[in-house]
């Protein structure tokens, strides 16, 4: 992996507040004054860099956060949005117009899947879903109208790892944009360094890390970011999924500890995955040698941050999964809740929650079984103690003999 240290890059960004504050001041305004009417006109035309016009377009705090996230992903620029879906839909609608075609990995977050499958076709934007590890099938599915290859670097919920270098070379050959959702693997994987054109995050998850807000970002070239903010044709400017400045300020503060949190999430997840596997449970984690993409992930990742905080466990049936999750919540091992990246462990049954938008037969063909539990492992200090308590729950529900 190329020698790039995103954490140093972010650390070197200094934003002082008014009065010398150690955090930047929040600009608590939706609109900005101009000393001359001419400058206001020029700003509308996009010719007055450094001037703020109206906060749906940009605001100081959103620009600070965007700059830090561009550093995280080693891109020229970025733009923050009010949710991860706000970022995903902005990027897709900016790049595709009526008559265009998208190729997408079939194992992606259920909301993204539903947007591609149900929302876009009435606008004559069609999507073909492919196995992201089957390069022949991908090349065969490319049409003259294909504009985007879309995937998650580590997929939700199956934790399939996309070979981004290989996918980037296919995109280059066919003139497609490679758009990568990197929500599950911030700091571990740098999609841009592997050839991605645009990198997206749901900030709601690890990057913010405190489950107190939704947020999103897309990172790419300055030219692309400007296009999305164009007052006449920009998907972000015109659809309006703008992040509030107060939220941008709190997310920026949380971003400062991401490197410490990611190491701990990954360490804890690997510890539990290894022990669950030893106990004979059907566990999947990219850090296990038994994971089909273990070697691929190793070749792509910055090892300091590990294989991530997500693991899955197949409890066999929905009933068994529910019984186990309810017991674990009762034992204060975590919360039965969707989402991920929180300090506390979160668990949910993907088929009946975050992937429920995907039809049952398609879920089955992808390998999302009814009893599949997705765990987002928390920052527990004594992970052996957590393991022993989880093991107790698994014995009690009959998953471990
Ligand atoms: N991408 C991934 C991989 C997700 O898991 C999610 C949400 O679960 C999203 C995008 C959507 O993000 P948000 O809920 O912030 O809109």
């Amino acid at each position: 992996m190329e020698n790039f240290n995103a954490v140093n890059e972010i650390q070197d960004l200094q934003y002082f507040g008014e009065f010398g504050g150690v955090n930047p001041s929040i600009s608590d305004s939706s609109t900005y004054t101009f000393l001359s009417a001419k400058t206001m006109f020029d700003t509308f035309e996009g010719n007055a860099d450094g001037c703020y016009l109206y906060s749906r377009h940009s605001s100081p705090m959103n620009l600070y956060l965007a700059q830090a996230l561009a550093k995280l992903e080693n891109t020229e620029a970025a733009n923050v949005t009010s949710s991860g879906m706000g970022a995903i839909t902005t990027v897709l609608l900016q790049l595709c117009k009526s008559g265009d075609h998208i190729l997408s990995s079939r194992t992606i977050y259920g909301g993204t899947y539903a947007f591609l499958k149900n929302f876009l076709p009435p606008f004559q934007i069609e999507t073909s879903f492919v196995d992201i590890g089957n390069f022949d099938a991908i090349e065969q599915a490319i049409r003259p109208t294909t504009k985007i290859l879309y995937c998650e670097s580590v997929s939700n919920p199956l934790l399939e790892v996309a070979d981004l270098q290989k996918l980037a070379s296919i995109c280059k050959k066919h003139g497609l944009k490679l758009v990568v959702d990197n929500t599950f693997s911030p700091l571990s994987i740098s999609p841009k360094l592997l050839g991605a054109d645009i990198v997206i995050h749901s900030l709601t998850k690890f990057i913010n890390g405190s489950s107190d807000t939704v947020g999103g970002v897309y990172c790419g070239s300055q030219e692309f970011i400007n296009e999305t903010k164009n007052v006449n044709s920009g998907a972000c400017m015109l659809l309006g999924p703008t992040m509030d400045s107060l939220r941008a300020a709190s997310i920026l503060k949380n971003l400062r500890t991401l490197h410490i949190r990611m190491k701990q999430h990954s360490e804890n997840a690997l510890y539990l995955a290894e022990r669950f596997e030893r106990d004979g449970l059907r566990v999947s984690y990219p850090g296990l040698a038994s994971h089909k993409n273990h070697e691929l992930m190793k070749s792509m990742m910055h090892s300091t941050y590990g294989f991530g905080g997500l693991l899955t466990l197949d409890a066999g049936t929905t009933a068994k999964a529910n019984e186990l999750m309810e017991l674990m919540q009762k034992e204060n091992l975590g919360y039965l809740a969707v989402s991920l990246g929180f300090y506390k462990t979160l668990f949910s049954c993907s088929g009946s929650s975050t992937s429920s938008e995907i039809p049952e037969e398609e879920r089955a063909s992808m390998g999302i079984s009814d009893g599949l539990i997705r765990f987002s492992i928390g920052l527990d200090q004594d992970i052996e103690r957590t393991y022993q308590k989880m093991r107790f729950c698994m014995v009690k529900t009959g998953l471990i003999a």
Side-chain angles (χ1 to χ4, degrees):
M1 200 55 252
E2 195 175 316
N3 187 17
F4 164 70
N5 192 325
V7 178
N8 284 348
E9 296 276 325
I10 296 169
Q11 191 178 304
D12 289 347
L13 288 175
Q14 272 188 334
Y15 306 116
F16 294 110
E18 240 183 322
F19 316 112
V22 295
N23 288 304
S25 306
I26 300 169
S27 172
D28 200 16
S29 298
S30 58
T31 190
Y32 293 83
T33 58
F34 289 85
L35 290 179
S36 88
K38 166 85 170 64
T39 320
M40 181 186 267
F41 174 77
D42 288 346
T43 306
F44 256 102
E45 295 288 298
N47 300 327
D49 259 2
C51 286
Y52 295 99
L53 171 72
Y54 183 64
S55 291
R56 174 154 47 80
H57 183 260
S58 59
S59 59
M61 187 56 76
N62 287 18
L63 288 185
Y64 291 149
L65 177 60
Q67 196 176 25
L69 292 165
K71 294 286 183 200
L72 173 76
E73 289 301 353
N74 196 34
T75 56
E76 271 175 21
N79 190 35
V80 293
T81 52
S82 53
S83 69
M85 284 309 294
I88 292 165
T89 53
T90 294
V91 168
L92 297 177
L93 289 171
Q94 190 67 42
L95 292 176
C96 291
K97 304 291 169 240
S98 173
D100 287 342
H101 173 249
I102 298 172
L103 258 183
S104 169
S105 164
R106 58 186 189 156
T107 66
I108 49 171
Y109 166 58
T112 314
Y113 180 91
F115 183 74
L116 292 167
K117 172 112 181 182
N118 308 325
F119 195 94
L120 286 182
F123 298 95
Q124 279 76 50
I125 299 172
E126 221 186 289
T127 301
S128 305
F129 294 95
V130 286
D131 173 352
I132 206 67
N134 186 341
F135 308 120
D136 289 339
I138 291 172
E139 292 223 53
Q140 275 163 26
I142 295 171
R143 304 177 189 171
T145 53
T146 309
K147 291 287 179 331
I148 292 175
L149 179 55
Y150 183 93
C151 68
E152 294 172 359
S153 26
V154 178
S155 77
N156 184 359
L158 288 174
L159 312 179
E160 283 178 351
V161 183
D163 186 338
L164 298 179
Q165 261 166 325
K166 178 73 190 169
L167 297 175
S169 74
I170 294 174
C171 286
K172 211 165 185 183
K173 184 167 148 201
H174 296 275
L176 316 183
K177 294 274 185 230
L178 179 59
V179 179
V180 179
D181 180 338
N182 198 30
T183 299
F184 276 27
S185 43
L187 290 175
S188 294
I189 297 180
S190 298
K192 173 67 172 40
L193 294 180
L194 298 163
D197 295 290
I198 294 160
V199 186
I200 296 175
H201 282 276
S202 164
L203 301 176
T204 316
K205 313 293 163 32
F206 290 106
I207 291 181
N208 184 53
S210 49
S211 290
D212 55 0
T213 186
V214 284
V217 68
Y218 50 94
C219 310
S221 67
Q222 186 69 60
E223 187 186 356
F224 177 71
I225 302 301
N226 290 349
E227 275 168 26
T228 65
K229 293 167 84 172
N230 185 291
V231 292
N232 292 304
S233 56
C236 196
M237 185 61 186
L238 300 176
L239 294 169
T242 312
M243 178 178 280
D244 182 74
S245 288
L246 285 133
R247 275 306 181 193
S250 68
I251 295 171
L252 180 59
K253 280 175 280 196
N254 288 357
L255 174 66
R256 300 291 188 187
T257 57
L258 179 68
H259 54 299
I260 302 167
R261 291 185 279 112
M262 284 316 295
K263 281 185 205 167
Q264 186 80 16
H265 282 299
S266 292
E267 242 179 73
N268 285 355
L270 179 63
Y271 190 96
L272 292 177
E274 283 175 347
R275 273 144 194 87
F276 290 159
E277 187 168 63
R278 215 191 288 155
D279 288 331
L281 294 165
R282 275 179 287 170
V283 61
S284 173
Y285 181 65
L288 293 175
S290 58
H291 188 281
K292 69 173 179 180
N293 302 129
H294 177 65
E295 289 304 324
L296 172 64
M297 178 130 182
K298 255 170 62 179
S299 73
M300 284 168 46
M301 68 194 261
H302 302 289
S303 54
T304 315
Y305 305 103
F307 293 88
L310 274 301
L311 63 86
T312 65
L313 193 143
D314 194 344
T317 61
T318 312
K320 233 344 134 212
N322 291 348
E323 195 187 334
L324 175 65
M325 291 190 296
E326 285 168 14
L327 182 60
M328 287 192 298
Q329 178 160 258
K330 202 162 142 235
E331 294 292 327
N332 199 11
L333 284 162
Y335 297 127
L336 203 178
V338 297
S339 204
L340 46 127
F342 195 33
Y343 80 91
K344 189 118 175 163
T345 294
L346 302 177
F347 32 82
S348 56
C349 203
S350 298
S352 50
S353 60
T354 49
S355 298
S356 59
E357 295 92 339
I358 303 171
E360 202 177 332
E361 61 287 0
E362 285 178 48
R363 284 203 304 268
S365 78
M366 292 172 190
I368 305 177
S369 57
D370 289 346
L372 191 82
I373 304 175
R374 187 189 71 187
F375 285 74
S376 166
I377 303 300
L379 300 173
D380 306 21
Q381 196 244 143
D382 184 350
I383 195 66
E384 170 61 21
R385 174 173 170 266
T386 303
Y387 164 65
Q388 290 301 341
K389 288 174 80 176
M390 283 187 173
R391 194 174 190 284
F392 164 81
C393 296
M394 289 173 194
V395 170
K396 210 161 172 200
T397 47
L399 281 177
I400 296 177

